[in-house]
């Protein structure tokens, strides 16, 4: 038998094996899809009101300004036809030379074939021309409410991104090249990845962003040494082991968001905010929230304040035998910390000595990019889903956040995984991003309705445990840290909330980067800088114009401020103290719970 015959036999054998794998995977995929939840139409797209608003505005323009419509159409068709003619001429000549004007640069079209090959260049150019035509049509639409305009812009952008030629095998040169190079193996592996994601999410498609086997919480991430010193149905309280002989007298407690896990602040030793705080001589406690199941359906914001914040603060005071604590709230936990501060002010309770807010919104008059999802059609759909499931599933939360950055968090990962057959990267931040939690149904709707939609905390007041509190009731010394490119809690909106707080001692720090990278920004990396200013906290743009830029992390600046609020130095405290029971080692048990809905 010749070498060529052997190669053909090997290729034939490989093909048979791949066909068998495809058949088995197809059977698994059908089984996974059979478990798919019934779709909630309200969460799959905008309600009919937006369609009606957009159609009405378009028809009005058609009747009043037909020339404008004709001009836009003529402009689109002239560009499309010009590109079509040029592509045909190139093909007819058989030269396959790169066009003189390959078109705008776009990271999705990095493969040289998008410019050098007439077929792929034609597809790219037609897509970009059509994309711009759609964008221009939305941007130039008159007589439409600004909220509807934002939503229309968002949803049209989603459709445009979905239809990108890179998202389809037949028009993705990278995927086609790899399929040829691997003799189809990449496509089989891609199908394996697709089936894996469907099975992991009960038949719903949610792209895996990171290798889930690369990290184990408590083993190679979330490893700061400490102990769980208290537990109730909502949280575990972790106290960290001191690394200094003396510590500041006033302890510090961090309330992380319960949308995700607390170990974002302790991914690895070199970028661990938790380790850095302990190394600065602070007695540190952190709350690790329970991942709720449907039995938590009736847990609301009052429960989080009473059984979460107030109970955690009381436990820290008891363990350390100190009358006051300093508190930190991150994102939604910062919003709820501000509610708690308002309640304590009403009760004349001085248990919190100072507060720090990380990327926290308390004024929701500007809903930023979340405007799209905070209208009644979508919130009504979420409320219905919560009534069915008892909780707001992490699936919907993850999907919503991903669609805010769909190119980076949906389409590109899907291309790499399903068309290129690549394994997800071993990236700790993306692993954490995919390790999200559920929200109790009652709490989720209270937050969305009363705070986000109705903006009651910054307006007429929000009721907490029988007291009506407002942002003006936040009167303790405070520092707010916002991030310049944060798309979840825009810094200008965070600033607006702080400006209304009643505290006479308040400072604002603006970090470079976004919601996570701007906070998890250790001094050792010197990656992102920050702004500070002595300018009164009144107008965001004026504050920024007069702010001083500093190279590197904001952590040391905050550490100095916090030290001044934390009293004299005392002997270091071991977790739990001499007479408090240790329940288990950090990171505890709640952080590892997976609850599928």
């Amino acid at each position: 038998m010749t070498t060529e015959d052997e190669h053909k036999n090997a290729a034939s054998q490989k093909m048979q094996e791949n066909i068998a794998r495809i058949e088995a995977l197809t059977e698994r995929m059908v089984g996974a899809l059979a478990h798919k939840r019934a779709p909630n139409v309200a969460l799959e797209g905008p309600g009919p009101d937006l369609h009606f608003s957009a159609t009405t505005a378009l028809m009005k323009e058609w009747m009043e300004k037909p020339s404008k419509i004709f001009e836009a159409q003529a402009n689109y068709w002239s560009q499309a036809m010009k590109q079509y003619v040029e592509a045909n001429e190139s093909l007819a000549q058989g030269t396959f030379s790169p066009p003189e004007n390959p078109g705008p640069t776009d990271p999705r079209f990095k493969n040289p074939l998008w410019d050098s090959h007439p077929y792929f260049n034609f597809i790219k150019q037609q897509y970009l021309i059509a994309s711009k035509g759609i964008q221009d049509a939305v941007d130039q639409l008159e007589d439409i409410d600004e909220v509807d305009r934002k939503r229309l812009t968002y949803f049209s952008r989603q459709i445009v991104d979905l239809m990108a030629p890179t998202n389809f095998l037949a028009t993705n040169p990278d995927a086609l090249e790899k399929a040829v190079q691997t003799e189809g193996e990449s496509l089989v592996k891609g199908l394996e990845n697709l089936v894996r994601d469907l099975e992991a999410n009960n038949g719903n498609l949610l792209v895996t962003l990171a290798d889930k086997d690369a990290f184990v919480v408590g083993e190679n991430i979330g490893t700061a040494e400490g102990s769980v010193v208290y537990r109730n149905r909502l949280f575990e309280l972790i106290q960290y082991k001191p690394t200094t002989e003396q510590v500041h007298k006033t302890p510090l407690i961090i309330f992380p968001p319960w949308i995700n896990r607390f170990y974002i602040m302790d991914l690895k030793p070199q970028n661990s905010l938790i380790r850095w705080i302990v190394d600065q001589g602070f007695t540190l406690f952190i709350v690790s929230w329970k991942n709720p199941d449907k039995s938590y359906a009736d847990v609301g914001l009052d429960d989080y304040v009473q059984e979460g914040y107030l109970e955690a603060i009381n436990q820290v005071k008891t363990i350390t035998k100190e009358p006051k604590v300093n508190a930190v709230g991150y994102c939604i936990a910062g919003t709820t910390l501000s509610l708690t501060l308002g309640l304590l002010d009403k009760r004349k309770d001085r248990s919190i000595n100072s507060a720090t807010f990380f990327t926290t919104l308390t004024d929701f008059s500007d809903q930023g990019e979340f405007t799209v999802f905070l209208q009644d059609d979508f919130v009504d759909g979420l409320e219905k889903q919560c009534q069915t499931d008892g909780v707001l599933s992490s699936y919907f939360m993850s999907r919503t956040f991903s669609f805010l950055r769909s190119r980076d968090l949906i389409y590109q990962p899907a291309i790499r995984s399903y068309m290129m057959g690549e394994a997800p990267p071993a990236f700790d931040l993306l692993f954490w991003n995919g390790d999200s939690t559920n929200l109790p149904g009652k709490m989720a709707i209270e937050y969305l309705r009363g705070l986000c939609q109705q903006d009651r905390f910054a307006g007429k007041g929000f009721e907490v445990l029988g007291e009506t509190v407002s942002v003006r009731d936040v009167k303790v010394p405070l520092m707010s840290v916002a991030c310049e490119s944060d798309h979840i809690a825009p810094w200008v909106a965070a600033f607006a909330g702080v400006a209304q707080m009643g505290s006479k001692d308040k400072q604002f720090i603006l970090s470079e980067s976004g919601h996570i990278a701007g906070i998890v920004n250790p001094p050792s990396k010197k990656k992102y800088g920050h702004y500070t200013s002595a300018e009164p906290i009144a107008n965001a743009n004026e504050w920024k114009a007069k702010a001083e830029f500093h190279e590197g992390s904001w952590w040391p600046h905050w550490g100095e401020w916090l030290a001044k609020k934390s009293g004299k130095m005392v002997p270091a405290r071991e977790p739990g103290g001499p007479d408090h029971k240790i329940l288990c080692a950090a990171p505890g048990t709640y952080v590892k719970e997976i609850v599928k809905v």
Side-chain angles (χ1 to χ4, degrees):
M1 182 181 292
T2 66
T3 303
E4 184 177 349
D5 290 334
E6 291 175 349
H7 179 74
K8 287 181 179 179
N9 286 338
S12 177
Q13 178 65 26
K14 184 67 174 177
M15 181 176 292
Q16 292 299 320
E17 291 174 358
N18 281 338
I19 290 173
R21 287 165 65 190
I22 290 172
E23 289 177 350
L25 288 167
T26 302
E27 190 173 325
R28 283 173 56 191
M29 182 165 64
V30 171
L33 290 172
H35 294 93
K36 184 177 181 179
R37 70 171 78 234
N40 184 337
V41 177
L43 302 182
E44 302 302 320
D49 287 352
L50 182 61
H51 294 276
F52 180 77
S53 176
T55 302
T56 300
L58 182 62
M59 291 304 296
K60 185 176 180 181
E61 283 199 5
W62 181 266
M63 298 296 293
E64 295 180 357
K65 301 176 183 178
S67 61
K68 181 180 176 182
I69 303 294
F70 284 124
E71 182 180 353
Q73 289 292 315
N75 183 53
Y76 163 71
W77 282 110
S78 67
Q79 292 184 57
M81 289 303 296
K82 180 176 182 292
Q83 175 60 25
Y84 174 78
V85 170
E86 289 175 352
N88 272 284
E89 287 179 352
S90 178
L91 287 170
Q93 292 170 3
T95 58
F96 295 100
S97 60
E100 292 183 7
N101 177 22
T105 58
D106 187 310
R108 293 173 294 181
F109 304 115
K110 291 187 294 187
N111 191 307
L113 287 174
W114 287 114
D115 289 339
S116 64
H117 195 289
Y119 168 71
F120 287 113
N121 185 261
F122 171 71
I123 292 172
K124 181 188 80 167
Q125 293 281 27
Q126 289 292 315
Y127 168 74
L128 293 175
I129 291 168
S131 300
K132 189 175 186 306
I134 293 172
Q135 181 182 333
D136 290 345
V138 173
D139 291 345
Q140 295 169 15
L141 196 62
E142 299 177 2
D143 295 313
I144 187 170
D145 177 81
E146 279 307 306
V147 170
D148 284 345
R149 182 184 298 280
K150 283 185 179 180
R151 302 190 86 204
L152 191 61
T153 299
Y154 170 82
F155 287 115
S156 61
R157 182 75 259 169
Q158 291 301 320
I159 294 171
V160 167
D161 286 345
L162 171 65
M163 299 308 296
T166 47
N167 295 339
F168 302 92
L169 178 63
T171 52
N172 187 317
D174 294 299
L176 292 172
E177 285 178 335
K178 189 163 187 180
V180 172
Q181 292 167 0
T182 62
E183 297 181 336
E185 180 70 13
S186 61
L187 299 180
V188 179
K189 287 184 177 179
L191 183 58
E192 288 178 344
N193 292 340
L194 174 62
V195 172
R196 174 205 64 207
D197 288 348
L198 288 170
E199 290 177 337
N201 294 286
N202 297 324
N204 297 286
L205 185 57
L206 201 62
V207 185
T208 297
L209 298 178
D211 183 354
K212 293 183 177 180
D213 297 324
F215 302 100
V216 178
V217 180
E219 294 185 12
N220 57 358
I221 52 175
T223 58
E225 190 174 358
S227 303
V228 174
V229 294
Y230 177 79
R231 179 188 296 125
N232 67 14
R233 67 168 183 157
L234 284 185
F235 71 92
E236 289 182 329
L237 183 65
I238 299 171
Q239 182 180 359
Y240 287 94
K241 184 178 179 62
T243 58
T244 56
E245 292 184 1
Q246 290 191 314
V247 294
H248 288 279
K249 190 173 186 292
T250 303
L252 176 67
I253 180 171
I254 297 179
F255 294 97
W258 50 91
I259 295 173
N260 288 97
R261 317 284 188 165
F262 79 88
Y263 64 85
I264 184 59
M265 291 175 279
D266 187 36
L267 289 177
K268 47 194 172 188
Q270 55 267 42
N271 68 351
S272 171
L273 177 57
I274 286 172
R275 290 172 184 264
W276 184 87
I277 290 171
V278 173
D279 288 344
Q280 306 314 302
F282 295 101
T283 299
L284 178 62
F285 294 80
I286 198 164
V287 166
S288 174
W289 298 103
K290 176 78 172 179
N291 187 7
D293 57 26
K294 63 182 180 181
S295 68
Y296 284 72
D298 292 329
V299 171
L301 280 169
D302 276 357
D303 299 297
Y304 271 87
V305 171
Q306 181 65 57
E307 298 180 48
Y309 285 71
L310 297 182
E311 182 61 23
I313 291 165
N314 183 59
Q315 289 296 324
V316 172
K317 289 165 59 179
T318 300
I319 292 169
T320 61
K321 297 179 172 58
E322 291 294 332
K324 293 186 176 185
V325 306
N326 292 317
V328 176
Y330 194 160
C331 191
I332 186 177
T335 306
T336 312
L337 174 60
S338 68
L339 297 176
T340 305
L341 288 166
L343 175 67
L344 292 179
D345 181 73
K346 293 287 188 180
R347 293 179 173 181
K348 303 195 183 310
D349 185 327
R350 307 301 180 221
S351 294
I352 296 183
N353 185 58
S354 76
T356 303
F357 302 109
F358 294 164
T359 63
T360 293
L361 295 180
T362 50
D363 180 337
F364 291 87
S365 56
D366 180 1
Q367 298 167 346
E369 295 187 34
F370 281 93
T371 299
V372 173
F373 303 108
L374 289 177
Q375 306 313 304
D376 281 337
D377 54 355
F378 194 75
V379 178
D380 288 348
L382 287 176
E383 186 167 15
K384 180 181 178 182
Q385 195 69 48
C386 288
Q387 290 169 352
T388 301
D389 297 336
V391 296
L392 178 54
S393 169
S394 61
Y395 165 77
F396 293 108
M397 298 296 294
S398 297
R399 190 179 69 168
T400 299
F401 283 110
S402 293
F403 269 111
L404 289 175
R405 293 291 180 269
S406 58
R407 289 189 190 181
D408 298 328
L409 296 178
I410 296 179
Y411 300 120
Q412 284 303 316
I415 290 168
R416 289 194 296 268
S417 185
Y418 307 148
M419 283 199 276
M420 307 291 286
E422 297 176 4
F427 186 11
D428 55 2
L429 180 57
L430 288 179
F431 174 85
W432 169 85
N433 188 73
D435 190 18
S436 53
T437 58
N438 306 316
L439 301 180
K442 182 180 178 181
M443 171 265 139
I445 300 306
E446 286 177 340
Y447 181 80
L448 291 171
R449 295 284 194 205
L451 293 172
C452 297
Q453 277 193 317
Q454 300 167 13
D455 195 23
R456 294 213 308 262
F457 188 53
K460 62 182 181 180
F462 187 85
E463 187 171 317
V464 179
L465 295 172
E467 295 279 3
T468 299
V469 301
S470 79
V471 69
R472 293 166 289 282
D473 296 320
V474 178
K475 298 175 182 176
V476 301
L478 63 90
M479 178 174 283
S480 177
V481 184
C483 299
E484 197 170 19
S485 57
D486 192 338
H487 65 283
I488 296 173
W491 80 267
V492 173
F495 188 100
V498 174
Q500 298 172 65
M501 290 179 177
S503 173
K504 296 179 181 178
D505 178 3
K506 49 189 176 184
Q507 294 190 32
F508 193 85
I509 295 177
L510 180 59
S511 174
E512 290 186 309
S513 196
H515 194 72
I516 300 300
I519 297 298
V520 184
N521 180 29
S524 59
K525 286 192 174 183
K526 298 182 180 179
K527 192 170 184 180
Y528 301 116
H530 63 281
Y531 298 86
T532 62
S533 176
E535 182 74 11
I537 298 177
N539 179 280
N541 292 326
E542 291 179 6
W543 182 93
K544 175 73 181 297
K546 297 180 180 179
E548 180 182 358
F549 178 75
H550 308 271
E551 296 285 349
S553 174
W554 54 269
W555 293 7
H557 184 95
W558 173 62
E560 291 175 8
W561 177 86
L562 186 62
K564 295 175 183 177
K565 310 293 183 186
S566 301
K568 65 180 182 180
M569 305 301 288
V570 298
R573 306 175 176 104
E574 290 297 319
D579 53 3
H580 202 85
K581 184 180 179 182
I582 300 298
L583 301 181
C584 65
T589 60
Y590 282 2
V591 73
K592 300 177 182 179
E593 292 180 338
I594 304 297
V595 180
K596 291 290 185 182
V597 179

